[in-house]
């Protein structure tokens, strides 16, 4: 049995090198086909009529005009009269027509009568929620009451971050078509292997009758795991249209209204310490919403295991679209609340917050030495000790500068993954996995791993992903993909190689165990002059290919979990206009063995930028009167642009200790700290806490006025 | 001239697209094909629709003739009629830049111009950037600097970058920050994009 390990560092030819992503040329040339780009023969365009009310009962639906319209091929009532609707934007009727304009006209011709019911869409003030509150049980550890009494300093504050949306560039959507009782689905998804099962269950057909395909996807960030109601209805509408392909991609307003919501989280926090900075006690009452299904619960206090604590949380059940996992679910919220409270505590202690976290670093548990090392590195890269000043920049002029910090953690253990690898007698190598590339670089990671293991150039690997016919691989969520697919691929390649060695050993007059695959050759380890080229070696297969399946989890230690990272932000705030400007941000991040530093850094930059977005700009603004989202577009749902992010510095922790742990996922961790680090930097600059994100000019000015 | 499929009222209220349609109608620029000329307030105005009209577009040096309703945007025409899917529909409202194409040398949000108004102009899409199998230096720079993640916004960025570098062949890093400000990326590839523009500007 092969030894399932990663090659030693000095022997790695491709792993750890700055390799460009293999699908880069397709993406820069417009050749990469996303679900949005797929056009099937005879395809119809679908549109959905959505409920304009946040809470209502459907009284009647008259779609007869739409049915009579030339070019309209199917009209499908999705929710019947009598149904109670719980959020504005919910699906009522779907149509399919020969082109989009006809489908639009058909949607506009449909008349629906509603009984409008009372709604609640606010979430920042639980006193307005009435009976829509769902409190969790109080959790107590130690003796918080006594600990607060014994403390020298107690800081109190309120912190929060609103519901934000995923705002994927490629909206949700799919194309469904029937061939008799077989369904083919092209869909933008983070879970190619499981969509078929979800569709089949909803449509009550055998799972084997559904095939799901996707070559490329334009972002998911946690919002694209399931087929969603509109995806399932696409298949039903196709059936009504005689099985013709029906494509429904969400319009931007629907995308922002119903297809992405990260729960809000707000908290009143009390945290205390001894005069020397030893943190003693924590008390928090938090609340937030994830819509009608309730929301997640921020893990408070975050990372720091404060010895005495009392935690209470309330979910507010309100009439907005349901929550979805958003990159590092619940962590950014918990980080903002905890690191904000600790920064306020440091201020009260008249301590540098860096000194406060280092003094209490042991409360971070088993990764405390990593955090310490990371903070010291970040401080060096930021010039923290030179630039930090006590709260409130005392320099003249309206522009105040400040620094803030935060830390985060994530699991990132590789998911279940199956990889089929075939070595053909002609020397070609095929790899198939039912995985997908979210933008992480999945194709590149698999190709690097296989080529490294087989001693071949990357160009000789023929990789196929994005099809439910391929071996099941996990959903791309929770930073689990790179760990999962690299491990299953490594095992498959090692197993295949081991079989190949068996075949060619006699020809080299050696034992299989004495062979190695290097630079396109199979050679005797101790006598490389005895070798066969890869193609010669594969000829010895005698016409029968080798096919193996590598799996994760499996033997050997290729992947593990648990990373820590820290970030520091440097901002300027104009106290006359309230505008916050990012100057610089530093991220120091641990992620185990790094398959491709170029892609790993991209993940960090991306996380930091997305973090700057929710820290400064992003908010799903709900209108309490109408119950609708007020900014379901990209003009007023603002993402950070190139000019908004300042300079970003990423430093990956890559010592033998980190490397030796194997591959750990990296997608989520870097997006956790920015909100807290930036919020703390603004407090440091202007001398007061701006309680809620995003740190918009009016919130900054309000905080200054108070 | 037109197949009178659905000449009914389009509903009340003016959407942005509806507004564009009307502003398209009121323009008195000479259009190449398909319209009727009416005299309105003493001026000759070309009127299209409400059904489909023949439209001729010059894209990447080739002329395409299609039948379109006047309200159809250039973006949707490129994607659905001409199978040029490099330009993406993201915001559909002139904000994000994912649909950027170059018209007569200028970068344009193709979601915000009607196909009929793009007649008589030279339209260049990302599909014309490669010469055979050879990537354009800007495309190569995007790859070298990993200026892409999911890649959905990338073609728009490539087109915006090309227009920007044509205007400013040797930009400063500060100019790159604002010059590419008309395109948004959700994955967060701006650091790569900045590096790519600087690399391409040296090429």
């Amino acid at each position: 049995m092969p030894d399932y390990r990663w090659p030693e560092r000095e022997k790695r030819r491709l792993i750890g090198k700055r390799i460009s992503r293999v699908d880069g040329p397709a993406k820069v040339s417009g050749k990469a086909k996303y679900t949005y780009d797929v056009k099937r023969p005879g395809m119809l365009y679908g549109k959905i009529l959505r409920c304009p009310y946040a809470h209502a009962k459907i009284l009647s639906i008259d779609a007869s005009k739409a049915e009579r319209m030339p070019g309209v091929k199917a009209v499908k009532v999705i929710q019947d009269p009598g149904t109670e609707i719980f959020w504005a934007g919910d699906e009522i009727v779907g149509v399919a027509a020969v082109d989009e304009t006809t489908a639009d006209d058909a949607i506009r011709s449909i008349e629906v009568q509603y009984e409008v019911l009372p709604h609640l869409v606010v979430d920042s003030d639980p006193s307005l929620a009435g009976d829509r509150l769902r409190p969790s049980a109080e959790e107590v550890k130690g003796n918080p009451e006594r600990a607060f009494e014994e403390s020298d300093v107690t800081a109190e504050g309120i912190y929060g971050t609103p519901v934000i949306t995923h705002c994927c560039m490629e909206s949700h959507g799919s194309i469904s078509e029937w061939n008799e009782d077989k369904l083919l689905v092209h869909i933008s998804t983070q879970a190619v292997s499981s969509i078929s099962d979800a569709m089949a269950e909803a449509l009550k057909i055998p799972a084997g009758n559904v095939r799901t395909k996707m070559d490329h996807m334009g972002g998911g960030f946690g919002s694209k795991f399931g087929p969603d109601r509109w995806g399932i209805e696409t298949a039903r509408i196709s059936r009504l249209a005689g099985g013709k392909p029906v494509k429904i991609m969400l319009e931007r307003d629907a995308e922002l209204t119903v297809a992405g919501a990260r729960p809000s989280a707000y908290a009143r926090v009390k945290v205390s310490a001894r005069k020397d900075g030893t943190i003693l006690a924590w008390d928090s009452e938090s609340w937030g919403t994830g819509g009608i299904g309730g929301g997640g619960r921020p893990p408070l206090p975050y990372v720091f295991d404060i010895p005495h604590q009392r935690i209470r949380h309330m979910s507010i059940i309100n009439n907005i679209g349901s929550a979805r996992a958003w990159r590092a679910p619940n962590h950014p919220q918990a980080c903002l609340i905890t690191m904000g409270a600790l920064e306020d505590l440091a201020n009260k202690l008249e301590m540098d917050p860096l000194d406060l976290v280092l003094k209490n670093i042991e409360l971070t548990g088993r990764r405390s030495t990593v955090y310490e090392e990371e903070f010291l590195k970040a401080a060096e890269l930021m010039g923290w000790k030179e630039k930090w000043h006590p709260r409130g920049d005392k320099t003249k002029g309206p522009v105040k500068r400040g620094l803030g910090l935060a830390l985060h953690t994530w699991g990132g253990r590789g998911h279940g993954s199956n990889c089929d690898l075939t070595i053909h007698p002609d020397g070609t190598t095929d790899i198939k996995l039912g995985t997908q590339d979210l933008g992480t670089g999945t194709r590149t990671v698999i190709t690097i791993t296989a080529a490294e293991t087989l001693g071949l150039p990357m160009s000789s690997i023929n990789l196929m992903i994005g099809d439910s016919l391929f071996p099941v691989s996990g959903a791309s969520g929770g930073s689990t993909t790179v760990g999962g697919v690299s491990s299953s691929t490594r095992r498959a390649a090692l197993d295949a190689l081991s079989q190949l060695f068996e075949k060619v050993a006699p020809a080299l007059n050696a034992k299989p165990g004495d062979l190695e695959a290097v630079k396109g050759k199979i050679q005797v380890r101790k006598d490389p002059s005895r070798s066969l080229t890869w193609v010669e070696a594969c000829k010895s297969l005698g016409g029968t290919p080798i096919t193996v399946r590598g799996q994760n989890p499996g033997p050997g230690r290729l992947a593990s979990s648990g990373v820590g990272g820290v970030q520091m932000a440097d901002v300027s705030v104009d106290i006359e206009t309230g505008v916050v400007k990012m100057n610089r941000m530093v991220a120091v991040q641990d992620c185990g063995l790094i398959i491709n530093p170029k892609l790993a850094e991209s993940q960090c930059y991306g996380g930091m930028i997305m973090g700057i977005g929710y820290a400064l700009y992003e908010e799903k603004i709900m209108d309490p009167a109408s119950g609708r989202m007020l900014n379901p577009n990209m003009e007023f749902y603002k993402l950070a642009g190139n000019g908004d992010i300042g300079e970003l510095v990423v430093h990956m922790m890559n010592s033998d200790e980190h490397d030796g742990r194997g591959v750990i996922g990296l997608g989520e961790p870097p997006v956790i700290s920015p909100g807290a680090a930036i919020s703390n930097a603004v407090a440091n600059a202007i001398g007061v806490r701006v309680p809620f994100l995003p740190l918009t000019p009016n919130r900054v000015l309000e905080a200054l006025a108070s | 001239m037109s197949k009178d499929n659905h000449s009914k009222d389009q509903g009340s209220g003016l959407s942005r697209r509806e507004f564009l349609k009307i502003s398209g109608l009121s323009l008195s620029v000479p259009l190449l094909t398909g319209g009727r000329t009416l005299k309105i307030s003493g001026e000759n105005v070309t009127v299209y629709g409400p059904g489909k009209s023949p439209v001729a577009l010059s894209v990447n040096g080739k002329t395409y003739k299609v039948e379109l309703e006047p309200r159809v945007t250039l973006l949707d025409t490129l994607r659905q009629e001409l199978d040029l899917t490099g330009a993406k529909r993201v915001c559909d409202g002139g904000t994000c830049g994912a649909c950027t194409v170059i018209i007569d040398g200028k970068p344009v949000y193709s979601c915000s111009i009607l196909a009929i108004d793009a007649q008589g102009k030279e339209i260049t899409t990302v599909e014309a950037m490669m010469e055979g199998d050879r990537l354009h230096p800007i495309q190569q720079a995007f790859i070298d600097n990993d200026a892409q993640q999911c890649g959905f916004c990338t073609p728009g960025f490539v087109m915006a970058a090309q227009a920007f570098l044509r205007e400013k062949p040797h930009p400063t890093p500060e100019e790159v920050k604002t010059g590419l400000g008309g395109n948004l990326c959700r994955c967060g590839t701006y650091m790569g994009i900045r590096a790519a523009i600087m690399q391409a500007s040296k090429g």
Side-chain angles (χ1 to χ4, degrees):
Chain A
M1 206 164 82
D3 190 2
Y4 299 100
R5 283 186 299 155
W6 291 106
E8 284 156 31
R9 263 184 154 180
E10 56 280 9
K11 289 194 177 158
R12 293 175 198 164
R13 197 169 40 91
L14 300 169
I15 290 173
K17 301 290 184 304
R18 305 185 66 82
I19 293 167
S20 294
R21 60 181 72 217
V22 294
D23 40 13
K27 287 179 177 177
V28 295
S29 61
K31 287 180 182 161
K33 290 285 179 188
Y34 297 77
T35 303
Y36 219 149
D37 303 326
V38 173
K39 192 173 180 185
R40 301 287 302 160
M43 190 173 83
L44 303 173
Y45 294 83
K47 298 275 176 187
I48 294 176
L49 177 69
R50 297 176 176 280
C51 178
Y53 303 108
H55 189 195
K57 191 182 252 187
I58 306 172
L59 295 178
S60 66
I61 299 173
D62 179 1
S64 55
K65 279 187 205 151
E67 280 162 357
R68 287 198 301 270
M69 244 175 224
V72 173
K73 301 295 179 189
V75 177
K76 167 90 171 53
V77 172
I78 297 171
Q79 300 198 77
D80 291 311
T83 312
E84 191 174 349
I85 304 299
F86 293 98
W87 58 84
D90 204 5
E91 298 79 26
I92 308 296
V93 184
V95 303
V98 291
D99 54 29
E100 282 199 270
T101 48
T102 308
D104 278 331
D105 292 345
I107 285 295
R108 270 194 286 266
S109 76
I110 298 168
E111 287 164 24
V112 183
Q113 304 285 333
Y114 296 94
E115 179 192 349
V116 181
L117 301 169
H119 65 251
L120 173 76
V121 292
V122 293
D123 60 334
S124 57
D125 184 354
S127 71
L128 301 173
D131 62 356
R132 304 283 200 101
L133 285 175
R134 297 279 180 284
S136 317
E138 180 177 278
E139 286 173 33
V140 179
K141 188 178 145 185
N143 189 337
E145 238 163 80
R146 201 176 64 207
F148 275 113
E149 275 169 25
E150 286 170 3
S151 300
D152 298 312
V153 173
T154 299
E156 289 183 58
I158 181 164
Y159 315 88
T161 176
V163 174
I164 65 166
T165 106
H166 297 69
C167 198
C168 304
M169 296 299 271
E170 182 190 30
S171 64
H172 285 63
S174 60
I175 303 157
S176 278
E177 61 188 276
W178 295 88
N179 184 352
E180 305 207 341
D181 59 347
K182 301 277 195 295
L183 177 66
L184 174 62
V185 181
H186 289 81
I187 183 167
S188 182
T189 182
Q190 297 173 236
V192 165
S193 284
S194 55
I195 286 285
S196 295
D197 294 82
M199 291 287 287
E201 193 188 341
L203 297 166
K204 298 187 173 61
I205 57 173
N209 286 15
V210 188
R211 180 175 179 192
T212 302
K213 286 185 75 171
M214 183 188 72
D215 281 342
H216 295 276
M217 74 176 305
F221 315 111
S223 68
K224 290 181 178 169
F225 290 117
D228 285 309
R229 176 148 60 200
W230 52 85
I232 293 157
E233 293 299 331
T234 306
R236 293 194 173 124
I237 294 166
S238 165
R239 191 135 61 183
L240 275 181
K244 279 194 167 196
V246 172
K247 179 180 196 172
I248 297 182
M249 301 299 295
L250 297 194
E251 309 299 318
R252 183 54 42 183
D253 57 350
E255 178 69 22
L256 290 177
T257 305
V258 300
R262 181 183 78 172
S264 57
Y266 305 88
R268 277 178 220 288
V269 179
K270 216 162 80 168
V271 60
S272 75
R274 287 203 195 98
K275 230 180 298 177
D276 68 354
T278 307
I279 300 172
L280 288 181
W282 169 279
D283 186 312
S284 65
E285 180 171 68
S286 54
W287 64 94
T289 189
I292 204 73
R297 175 179 177 176
L300 293 172
Y302 189 59
V303 180
F304 287 89
D305 186 16
I306 296 172
H308 304 277
Q309 38 179 285
R310 176 188 295 114
I311 305 154
R312 284 152 296 171
H313 182 77
M314 292 176 283
S315 267
I316 297 175
I317 309 300
N318 70 0
N319 299 98
I320 66 166
S322 290
R324 291 165 182 244
W326 190 93
R327 205 168 178 178
N330 300 322
H331 282 230
Q333 299 96 317
C335 182
L336 172 82
I337 292 165
T338 305
M339 296 309 296
L342 293 189
E343 209 268 348
D344 285 349
L345 178 65
N347 175 54
K348 262 201 138 169
L349 287 159
E350 295 179 1
M351 256 180 111
D352 178 338
L354 179 61
D355 295 337
L356 179 72
V357 296
L358 289 175
K359 168 133 191 111
N360 292 282
I361 205 75
E362 280 178 12
L363 297 181
T364 63
R366 63 188 171 92
R367 269 191 299 283
S368 57
T369 52
V370 175
Y371 281 126
E372 185 167 17
E373 199 186 338
E374 287 176 338
F375 269 123
L376 295 175
K377 184 70 200 176
E380 178 196 320
L381 292 170
M382 179 52 93
W384 180 278
K385 281 290 162 193
E386 302 83 70
K387 289 187 199 155
W388 186 83
H389 55 73
R391 195 176 264 195
D393 179 358
K394 302 289 186 294
T395 57
K396 281 191 184 158
V399 179
K400 307 296 184 190
R401 199 156 174 167
L403 296 188
L405 57 77
L407 88 180
H408 54 256
T409 186
W410 191 255
R413 182 177 293 280
H415 58 209
S417 173
N418 294 284
C419 167
D420 277 4
L421 188 149
T422 301
I423 299 174
H424 293 283
D426 67 357
T428 56
T429 303
D430 293 339
I431 298 183
K432 292 176 184 169
L433 293 93
T435 187
Q436 52 279 318
D437 188 356
L438 206 60
T440 323
T442 313
R443 282 185 174 86
T444 313
V445 166
I446 296 168
T447 308
I448 288 173
T449 304
E452 173 89 54
T453 310
L454 300 175
L456 294 173
M458 287 170 66
S459 58
S460 71
I461 306 293
N462 178 32
L463 173 64
M464 290 164 268
I465 64 170
D467 191 326
S468 63
L469 295 183
F470 299 154
V472 172
S473 209
S476 290
S479 305
T480 58
T481 306
V482 170
V485 300
S486 63
S487 299
S488 63
T489 303
R490 173 78 175 162
R491 290 194 182 96
L494 286 170
D495 286 348
L497 209 48
S498 157
Q499 289 192 24
L500 187 62
F501 288 169
E502 293 276 347
K503 295 278 183 188
V504 302
L508 290 167
N509 198 17
K511 288 181 191 155
D514 296 337
L515 300 180
E516 61 180 0
V518 181
K519 292 184 189 159
K521 284 193 276 192
I522 307 292
Q523 63 190 30
V524 179
R525 199 175 286 122
K526 284 181 184 150
D527 181 8
S529 68
R530 284 152 62 200
S531 70
L532 291 173
T533 67
W534 179 264
V535 173
E536 286 166 353
C538 291
K539 276 186 191 143
S540 68
L541 294 174
T544 309
I546 296 172
T547 290
V548 298
R549 173 162 295 183
Q551 293 187 307
N552 190 58
R557 193 174 182 216
L558 298 175
S560 57
S561 73
V563 298
V566 310
Q567 292 184 10
M568 291 179 173
D570 168 356
V571 304
S572 291
V573 188
D574 186 325
I575 57 168
E576 288 175 355
T577 62
V579 172
V580 177
K581 181 171 158 270
M582 294 302 306
N583 299 318
R584 206 154 163 271
M585 243 177 120
V586 170
V588 180
Q589 184 63 49
D590 151 35
C591 77
L593 184 153
I594 299 171
I595 304 252
N596 184 339
K598 202 188 236 189
L599 299 181
E601 283 167 16
S602 278
Q603 287 292 302
C604 291
Y605 288 132
M608 293 161 88
I609 291 168
M610 222 168 173
I612 292 167
Y614 74 73
L616 299 184
Y617 309 114
E618 292 183 42
E619 180 171 10
K620 184 173 183 176
I621 302 172
M622 299 302 294
D623 177 15
S626 69
R628 287 178 222 173
M629 182 176 177
L630 288 172
N631 54 344
N633 52 57
M634 288 171 75
E635 271 175 281
F636 300 108
Y637 187 89
K638 292 181 65 157
L639 303 182
N642 201 354
D644 299 322
I645 61 168
E647 298 304 317
L648 308 180
V649 179
V650 170
H651 177 86
M652 304 300 299
M653 302 295 279
N654 193 20
S655 70
D656 286 346
E657 197 189 329
H658 295 289
D659 186 87
R661 301 181 65 208
V663 180
I664 312 174
L666 181 61
E668 339 278 299
V671 86
I672 299 167
S673 275
I678 294 167
S679 174
N680 286 341
V682 168
N684 182 246
I686 65 174
V688 290
R689 168 73 50 189
V690 182
F692 297 159
L693 301 186
L695 305 164
T696 53
N698 64 330
R699 287 203 174 98
V700 169
L701 294 177
E702 263 175 37
L704 281 165
S706 66
Chain B
M1 178 198 73
S2 67
K3 281 178 242 144
D4 193 10
N5 275 353
H6 18 65
S7 54
K8 291 270 161 58
D9 169 45
Q10 311 302 325
S12 60
L14 283 181
S15 70
R16 183 189 181 88
R17 184 60 41 73
E18 230 72 30
F19 174 75
L20 286 169
K21 178 179 76 177
I22 291 166
S23 55
L25 288 177
S26 65
L27 286 174
S28 56
V29 291
L31 295 164
L32 292 186
T33 52
R36 291 166 287 155
T37 304
L38 298 181
K39 245 194 172 45
I40 295 176
S41 306
E43 281 191 48
N44 284 334
V45 174
T46 310
V47 175
Y48 284 79
K52 290 189 177 181
S53 308
V55 171
L57 294 172
S58 174
V59 185
N60 301 334
K62 227 171 118 182
T63 302
Y64 294 87
K65 289 188 174 153
V66 287
E67 293 258 319
L68 292 174
E69 285 190 46
R71 57 179 157 162
V72 178
T73 62
L74 174 61
L75 171 65
D76 291 346
T77 307
L78 292 171
R79 292 179 53 80
Q80 288 163 11
E81 304 292 331
L82 313 186
D83 283 331
L84 295 168
T85 57
K88 309 295 187 208
R89 189 163 81 186
V90 173
C91 72
D92 209 18
T95 303
C96 75
C99 64
T100 303
V101 300
I102 294 177
I103 298 185
D104 291 344
K106 300 268 182 223
V108 169
Y109 294 142
S110 63
C111 73
S112 299
I113 177 170
L114 296 172
I116 51 164
D117 287 341
Q119 296 183 99
K121 301 172 200 274
E122 191 45 54
I123 302 156
T124 309
T125 72
V126 73
E127 283 84 357
M129 287 285 280
M130 280 176 80
E131 279 175 40
D133 288 341
R134 219 178 62 234
L135 290 160
H136 188 281
I138 293 173
Q139 293 175 309
Q140 190 58 52
F142 268 67
I143 297 168
D144 292 346
N145 295 283
D146 206 32
Q148 49 185 331
Q149 288 186 36
C150 80
F152 205 67
C153 69
T154 307
F157 263 108
V158 167
M159 296 312 281
Q162 194 194 27
F164 171 70
L165 284 171
R166 200 178 286 162
E167 194 81 6
K168 246 185 214 318
H170 301 290
T172 64
E174 273 312 305
E175 286 168 338
V176 171
K177 284 187 202 168
T178 48
L180 272 293
N183 290 61
L184 293 171
C185 164
R186 184 49 155 169
C187 301
T189 53
Y190 300 132
M191 294 300 281
I193 286 164
R194 290 178 187 175
I197 306 289
M198 294 314 283
Q199 177 182 319
S201 74
K202 292 185 186 92

